Amino acid sequence: MSVVLLTSDSIYSRVIAQTLVHKNISIDLIIVERGKKEKKNCKTKLLSIIGIKIYTYLSLRIKWSLEKLVDLKETELRNQGLKYFRKSISDVQFDFPSTVPLLLTENINSTVDELENYKTSTFLVFGTGILSKNIIRISNVGIINFHSSLLPSYRGTFPEFWQLYNCDYDQTGYTIHLIDEGVDTGPIIFQKQVVARNDNPFVLRAMNVLSYIDELPNIISKFRSGSLVAVT
């Protein structure tokens, strides 16, 4: 049983990789997408909530810009999430395993040629951009993705924010699903509800990932054995 990990560069992805190696799941290759992405921060979400005209008015009226205040608050909340995650992890290095080949790329979809060598591996996706059709069609086994909501609710980026903003607490948790050519639309192989501790979406993200890390080795084993049934 072997996997190829397609991921972004984060403390979460590093611990995921370390956990798989620790659980004796062979990783053939780790591809880390480090390209520049559009910043999906609280300012973007604030604009969508209150509207650009109100946001601009408030920014002009407040001496210390609203954008700066929002950025500071986001940093505070993000650090709380990382602190919660670090405190919950023990005996794990916060780096990618040195025993696994590592490929850095600006765009995950530029790695088609490299992935062609791993057709019989399970592709595991965490935190990358949307995969192209050329990538999706490579694996003969399947491509497994993590999404931090109970799909089909809250597709798209950073669903924890919208779940908490909407007080939709019965939809907090995560889904593991197969990737198809849609966005978070593939067959579901596992779901688990995670109860939010507070209204910090970054803490909720940390909680989702911690649970995912615990479940992942068993899910990969069951998936490869055919004992997991995908639900469309």
Side-chain angles (χ1 to χ4, degrees), residues 24-58:
N24 296 318
I25 295 178
S26 175
I27 306 178
D28 293 328
L29 175 67
I30 299 173
I31 300 182
V32 178
E33 184 176 54
R34 302 182 72 176
K36 294 181 180 179
K37 298 180 181 179
E38 181 184 357
K39 190 178 180 183
K40 300 289 187 180
N41 60 9
C42 291
K43 176 189 171 185
T44 306
K45 300 173 183 65
L46 186 63
L47 282 170
S48 67
I49 294 168
I50 69 176
I52 190 167
K53 289 184 179 180
I54 297 176
Y55 179 88
T56 303
Y57 172 78
L58 291 173

Side-chain angles (χ1 to χ4, degrees), residues 111-120 123 134 137-138:
T111 61
V112 173
D113 291 342
E114 290 81 2
L115 288 173
E116 286 285 355
N117 298 316
Y118 301 97
K119 289 179 178 289
T120 59
F123 292 1
N134 291 334
R137 294 169 181 169
I138 292 175

Side-chain angles (χ1 to χ4, degrees), residues 187-201:
I188 294 169
I189 59 176
F190 183 85
Q191 285 188 315
K192 186 172 182 178
Q193 186 167 23
V194 175
V195 179
R197 290 174 60 93
N198 53 39
D199 287 333
N200 184 339

Side-chain angles (χ1 to χ4, degrees), residues 23-212:
K23 295 294 185 179
N24 296 318
I25 295 178
S26 175
I27 306 178
D28 293 328
L29 175 67
I30 299 173
I31 300 182
V32 178
E33 184 176 54
R34 302 182 72 176
K36 294 181 180 179
K37 298 180 181 179
E38 181 184 357
K39 190 178 180 183
K40 300 289 187 180
N41 60 9
C42 291
K43 176 189 171 185
T44 306
K45 300 173 183 65
L46 186 63
L47 282 170
S48 67
I49 294 168
I50 69 176
I52 190 167
K53 289 184 179 180
I54 297 176
Y55 179 88
T56 303
Y57 172 78
L58 291 173
S59 295
L60 293 173
R61 297 282 294 182
I62 297 176
K63 186 175 180 180
W64 192 355
S65 86
L66 183 60
E67 180 177 347
K68 181 66 174 178
L69 291 174
V70 170
D71 286 344
L72 288 172
K73 186 61 177 178
E74 180 189 9
T75 299
E76 177 188 343
L77 295 174
R78 188 186 297 275
N79 287 339
Q80 289 174 7
L82 291 174
K83 182 179 179 180
Y84 179 87
F85 184 80
R86 287 178 179 273
K87 287 179 63 177
S88 303
I89 293 291
S90 60
D91 300 325
V92 176
Q93 296 181 6
F94 297 121
D95 205 351
F96 289 111
S98 59
T99 56
V100 179
L102 184 68
L103 173 64
L104 304 180
T105 182
E106 296 297 309
N107 186 336
I108 200 72
N109 291 312
S110 67
T111 61
V112 173
D113 291 342
E114 290 81 2
L115 288 173
E116 286 285 355
N117 298 316
Y118 301 97
K119 289 179 178 289
T120 59
S121 297
T122 301
F123 292 1
L124 185 66
V125 177
F126 182 90
T128 70
I130 296 174
L131 301 185
S132 68
K133 295 178 182 178
N134 291 334
I135 296 286
I136 294 172
R137 294 169 181 169
I138 292 175
S139 176
N140 295 330
V141 181
I143 305 179
I144 299 174
N145 184 53
F146 165 87
H147 182 76
S148 49
S149 79
L150 301 178
L151 292 172
S153 298
Y154 293 99
R155 293 187 174 107
T157 58
F158 204 12
E160 294 97 337
F161 174 87
W162 295 111
Q163 293 159 6
L164 298 179
Y165 173 75
N166 293 327
C167 299
D168 208 351
Y169 299 114
D170 62 341
Q171 292 299 322
T172 57
Y174 62 95
T175 299
I176 301 175
H177 67 96
L178 302 179
I179 285 184
D180 59 14
E181 294 181 5
V183 177
D184 302 324
T185 57
I188 294 169
I189 59 176
F190 183 85
Q191 285 188 315
K192 186 172 182 178
Q193 186 167 23
V194 175
V195 179
R197 290 174 60 93
N198 53 39
D199 287 333
N200 184 339
F202 294 101
V203 171
L204 180 55
R205 168 61 60 92
M207 294 175 65
N208 283 333
V209 176
L210 287 166
S211 177
Y212 170 68

